[in-house]
Amino acid sequence: MSQTKPLSGLNSTSTLPEETGVRLKKEVTITPSFGSMKIFSKDLRLQDVTIMYFTALAALMVILVASYQAPGNAVKVSSLKANPSGPLPPLPMPFRVPLDPRGELQLAWNISYADQEVYMELKIADLKHGVVLGMSDRGELTNADLVVLWDSGSNSYFGDAWSDSEGRVSLDSQQDYELLEAKHTPIGFYLLFKRPFSTCDPRDYLIEEGTVHIIYGFLDKPLASLEQLNLSQIHTGVQRVLMLRPDTPSPTLPPDVQTLDVVAPNVIIPNQETTYWCFIQKLPENMPKNHIVMYESVITPGNEAIVHHIEVFECSPDIPNVPDYSGSCDDKMKPGKLNFCRHVLAAWAMGAEAFYYPPDAGLPVGGPGSSRFLRLEVHYHNPLLISGRRDSSGIRLHFTPSLRRYDAGIMELGLVYTPIMAIPPKQHTFYLSGYCTSKCTQTALSPGGIYIFASQLHTHLAGRGVRTVLVRRGKELEVVQEDQHFSTHYQTIRVLRKMVNVLPGGFGIMEEMCVNYIHYYPRTGLELCKSHVDRGYLQKYFNFINRFHGNDRCVCGEVGVTEQYSQIHWDMFAGEVLDSLYNTAPISMHCNQSTARLFPGEWDLQPIPVVTSNLEKPRYPCEGGGLPTSQPLTPPV
């Protein structure tokens, strides 16, 4: 979820007035890296050879001795001064997240936008011989930016390091992590250090808005030299966080605020890696209209490292009764009416803070035209297959009967959940774009437009980058939200490289979606503004590709879209033609009311909006520009 000042997210007003549209774009990409080495030689005299031999021998002795002494650039932890230069950040740190599934390693941090620095505090419950913390593009152990605490057998050292394409670790010649404090306490070992957002070191990770993949590892034996460390040979893991957060104070809640906990009913977490648990909860009988003004997570103590994300959905008011249910969301025997509980009320992801609504808007709940039934969905990530753990985690809604000026709304932007939009196999990069056209916004929105104050990106396993842009008269005006390090789960890269079949769009976790839930006010009747390529033009694509590959048999209407995709002989040409189709063919718009019915108008065979001017990405100091100062976004789910 992403918020704006005084919330956690966008810091500018975004409106969708006349001749305005929104484009949501998703990228799937893998980028290789290459290197080279040259060796030179010449004729040498015996004297030269002798001198070189003894010089090399002396150098070797220096290297061997140095490897058992303090590394030149590392900090000897025992020699750290008690009062480091500059003031320490206020403690405790406001942002924190458990890194490993057992909760033995916890990261907390604070941000100085004035100095463009991040202060980090690492708590290690049981420090043995050292720990590794790092950042990489999407959680890879290779080519990662690292900070390492290691034990040489006689001393402990702290240093800025990096891993190569094989996972081998080396100390960085440019030390950009500054150790501020190291201390033992009865509950663990603490490291406090800081690092600039941008270091201008090509081996360092650029900390920017969006998801940051934190990698960690534990050292179980001393290292005489850091170069002995290979990340592939130690216990490691990955956690996603949104590092950059706003530094605005939390708003004050009204005095008549009430709370409602929507939580799991003391369930036993299954001993499997991934579980989506669903629970139906009823609102109080005859509950009048209230405004939700804040919500926050309620996590069962001890389960902080297992509860991955939580969502609360309101069921359709057209469904008078939804049966009780508590069980797997994927259970084929679950009540079918759960599929009508899709309107998002609240969403939380690991590491997210409380979500506050603007002072002049609240999300309506209760009253006429609403449903009494809520569906809680909790995602448990249990890679260690821990058994017997009970959980009552969920979300606490803070609501008030004192209604605010505006009803807030949630609108879906992006691609329709349909196999019509698909990702071909064997792709390094593939873009999919969904549109909310100006025709829809002019039909459904008032002339004054809307104010977007928060945004929540969502894809399934293949999503690598997501970008939502406000477009007016063909010109990109503002990035609503962007995350170029997006992943639903850190296993995304392995899934992509194994993907040999077409990946269709759809609701399932093994299908793909590209969505942005925007939070806005004043609320309108526009619930969903999404698109997909015209079905007729897609059929023309199937016919053309089949004929190109020597299959003249027309299967028009005989089999479904997913099966037709699966029957294609996928080569580079087939993928390029599909990409061209998605970017040029007419689209079908879903300009839907809250009743799921289309607004009046013609929505098929609509032209793709033309974008003639694109926004440039902000430049960083190393590129001759300044770092962005906009308020950052909060975690996607």
Side-chain angles (χ1 to χ4, degrees):
M1 187 74 64
S2 313
Q3 307 182 57
T4 58
K5 185 178 180 181
L7 310 173
S8 305
L10 265 65
N11 67 339
S12 57
T13 301
S14 299
T15 60
L16 301 178
E18 185 177 4
E19 295 188 26
T20 299
V22 172
R23 179 172 62 173
L24 186 62
K25 190 170 188 178
K26 175 175 66 179
E27 175 184 359
V28 180
T29 178
I30 298 176
T31 305
S33 59
F34 304 90
S36 62
M37 179 175 68
K38 294 182 179 179
I39 300 176
F40 298 90
S41 64
K42 64 178 181 177
D43 295 334
L44 300 174
R45 297 176 302 171
L46 178 61
Q47 182 181 4
D48 295 328
V49 173
T50 303
I51 293 174
M52 291 176 63
Y53 171 77
F54 283 106
T55 301
L57 183 62
L60 177 62
M61 293 301 295
V62 170
I63 292 173
L64 290 174
V65 171
S67 67
Y68 289 94
Q69 296 177 349
N73 292 332
V75 174
K76 189 175 180 181
V77 174
S78 59
S79 65
L80 179 68
K81 296 180 181 179
N83 297 311
S85 61
L88 291 176
L91 297 175
M93 299 284 193
F95 314 115
R96 58 188 60 246
V97 65
L99 295 181
D100 69 304
R102 296 190 185 278
E104 296 177 352
L105 191 64
Q106 295 194 26
L107 176 67
W109 69 97
N110 204 344
I111 306 156
S112 171
Y113 285 102
D115 298 326
Q116 300 283 285
E117 291 179 327
V118 177
Y119 290 82
M120 304 183 197
E121 180 188 72
L122 194 62
K123 175 193 172 186
I124 308 112
D126 183 17
L127 180 64
K128 294 181 173 62
H129 296 285
V131 67
V132 177
L133 186 76
M135 294 174 282
S136 63
D137 192 33
R138 287 178 177 83
E140 307 93 331
L141 298 177
T142 56
N143 303 309
D145 176 14
L146 308 170
V147 58
V148 186
L149 174 70
W150 77 97
D151 172 14
S152 68
S154 57
N155 290 297
S156 294
Y157 300 101
F158 173 95
D160 183 349
W162 56 277
S163 64
D164 64 14
S165 59
E166 303 296 327
R168 295 183 294 261
V169 177
S170 299
L171 200 64
D172 202 330
S173 59
Q174 179 176 317
Q175 293 288 295
D176 295 300
Y177 288 91
E178 180 183 346
L179 180 59
L180 303 176
E181 189 175 47
K183 62 181 180 181
H184 281 282
T185 74
I187 59 174
F189 184 84
Y190 285 83
L191 278 176
L192 179 65
F193 50 94
K194 69 176 183 178
R195 208 211 82 168
F197 295 173
S198 174
T199 66
C200 299
D201 183 345
R203 299 194 186 280
D204 284 353
Y205 183 89
L206 174 66
I207 301 175
E208 56 185 342
E209 294 181 3
T211 305
V212 175
H213 288 76
I214 301 292
I215 61 177
Y216 61 87
F218 299 94
L219 305 184
D220 56 7
K221 61 181 179 181
L223 295 174
S225 168
L226 188 61
E227 281 66 26
Q228 294 179 344
L229 177 60
N230 190 311
L231 296 184
S232 65
Q233 298 172 358
I234 65 172
H235 172 67
T236 60
V238 183
Q239 185 58 273
R240 297 183 312 138
V241 303
L242 215 77
M243 186 71 71
L244 300 187
R245 306 289 185 86
D247 54 359
T248 54
S250 300
T252 302
L253 295 178
D256 60 351
V257 71
Q258 304 173 51
T259 62
L260 174 67
D261 285 358
V262 185
V263 297
N266 195 29
V267 305
I268 299 177
I269 301 175
N271 60 339
Q272 59 192 32
E273 182 171 4
T274 300
T275 300
Y276 285 84
W277 194 274
C278 281
F279 172 65
I280 294 294
Q281 181 164 325
K282 298 177 184 178
L283 292 174
E285 192 79 32
N286 299 319
M287 179 180 178
K289 179 180 177 180
N290 284 259
H291 271 164
I292 297 173
V293 293
M294 189 268 270
Y295 64 80
E296 60 187 331
S297 64
V298 180
I299 309 298
T300 299
N303 294 345
E304 293 88 353
I306 298 178
V307 179
H308 187 271
H309 73 259
I310 307 171
E311 292 183 88
V312 175
F313 301 88
E314 183 182 26
C315 298
S316 170
D318 297 334
I319 307 298
N321 288 292
V322 179
D324 293 339
Y325 182 74
S326 180
S328 171
C329 301
D330 302 320
D331 192 334
K332 295 181 179 179
M333 301 302 293
K334 71 178 185 296
K337 289 184 178 180
L338 267 65
N339 294 325
F340 294 93
C341 305
R342 296 187 179 277
H343 180 70
V344 178
L345 281 185
W348 170 91
M350 185 180 287
E353 301 300 304
F355 182 92
Y356 290 87
Y357 279 83
D360 51 354
L363 188 68
V365 61
S370 67
S371 174
R372 286 191 58 224
F373 300 94
L374 306 179
R375 176 170 68 90
L376 172 73
E377 181 176 299
V378 183
H379 173 201
Y380 298 110
H381 177 58
N382 185 14
L384 300 182
L385 309 183
I386 299 172
S387 300
R389 187 73 64 86
R390 290 189 172 272
D391 185 71
S392 297
S393 299
I395 287 180
R396 177 169 294 149
L397 303 175
H398 296 252
F399 60 93
T400 172
S402 302
L403 301 181
R404 296 182 170 183
R405 180 180 179 184
Y406 297 110
D407 284 349
I410 301 175
M411 187 190 306
E412 286 189 43
L413 307 178
L415 289 169
V416 178
Y417 305 134
T418 172
I420 291 175
M421 304 297 292
I423 302 170
K426 306 174 185 177
Q427 300 293 311
H428 284 194
T429 302
F430 199 82
Y431 293 91
L432 293 175
S433 295
Y435 300 90
C436 179
T437 63
S438 58
K439 180 178 180 179
C440 181
T441 59
Q442 290 175 26
T443 300
L445 303 184
S446 65
I450 59 174
Y451 176 79
I452 300 173
F453 63 89
S455 174
Q456 173 196 357
L457 301 173
H458 183 71
T459 78
H460 281 172
L461 297 179
R464 300 290 299 276
V466 188
R467 188 171 190 252
T468 305
V469 184
L470 178 68
V471 179
R472 183 174 298 136
R473 297 183 180 90
K475 183 178 180 180
E476 291 186 349
L477 296 182
E478 179 181 353
V479 176
V480 178
Q481 186 178 5
E482 180 174 16
D483 191 342
Q484 292 304 322
H485 300 277
F486 190 89
S487 73
T488 304
H489 193 277
Y490 60 78
Q491 293 180 342
T492 300
I493 296 166
R494 294 199 294 271
V495 172
L496 274 176
R497 289 178 177 168
K498 292 180 180 178
M499 193 176 77
V500 295
N501 297 317
V502 68
L503 182 61
F507 287 100
I509 192 64
M510 297 311 295
E511 298 170 319
E512 194 47 68
M513 56 176 57
C514 179
V515 185
N516 191 348
Y517 299 99
I518 59 168
H519 294 242
Y520 71 96
Y521 67 85
R523 186 177 183 178
T524 71
L526 183 58
E527 183 90 2
L528 182 148
C529 191
K530 301 162 79 173
S531 69
H532 63 75
V533 71
D534 178 76
R535 184 184 293 267
Y537 275 77
L538 180 62
Q539 190 61 56
K540 293 178 182 180
Y541 166 80
F542 289 140
N543 296 339
F544 168 76
I545 289 296
N546 285 330
R547 287 198 305 270
F548 180 82
H549 289 119
N551 181 8
D552 293 330
R553 176 175 174 268
C554 178
V555 292
C556 312
E558 296 178 11
V559 298
V561 169
T562 301
E563 186 175 348
Q564 290 195 68
Y565 272 124
S566 66
Q567 292 175 354
I568 289 178
H569 171 69
W570 287 107
D571 54 16
M572 184 180 295
F573 179 72
E576 289 177 349
V577 175
L578 182 63
D579 178 63
S580 178
L581 177 85
Y582 286 160
N583 287 288
T584 58
I587 58 176
S588 291
M589 274 301 306
H590 285 225
C591 187
N592 290 9
Q593 305 174 58
S594 56
T595 60
R597 295 184 177 91
L598 287 167
F599 276 89
E602 180 57 50
W603 302 110
D604 291 329
L605 293 172
Q606 299 296 297
I608 287 183
V610 176
V611 179
T612 58
S613 176
N614 299 102
L615 286 169
E616 292 186 7
K617 186 175 181 180
R619 299 172 67 186
Y620 290 84
C622 310
E623 304 171 316
L627 280 166
T629 57
S630 61
Q631 294 296 333
L633 308 173
T634 53
V637 296

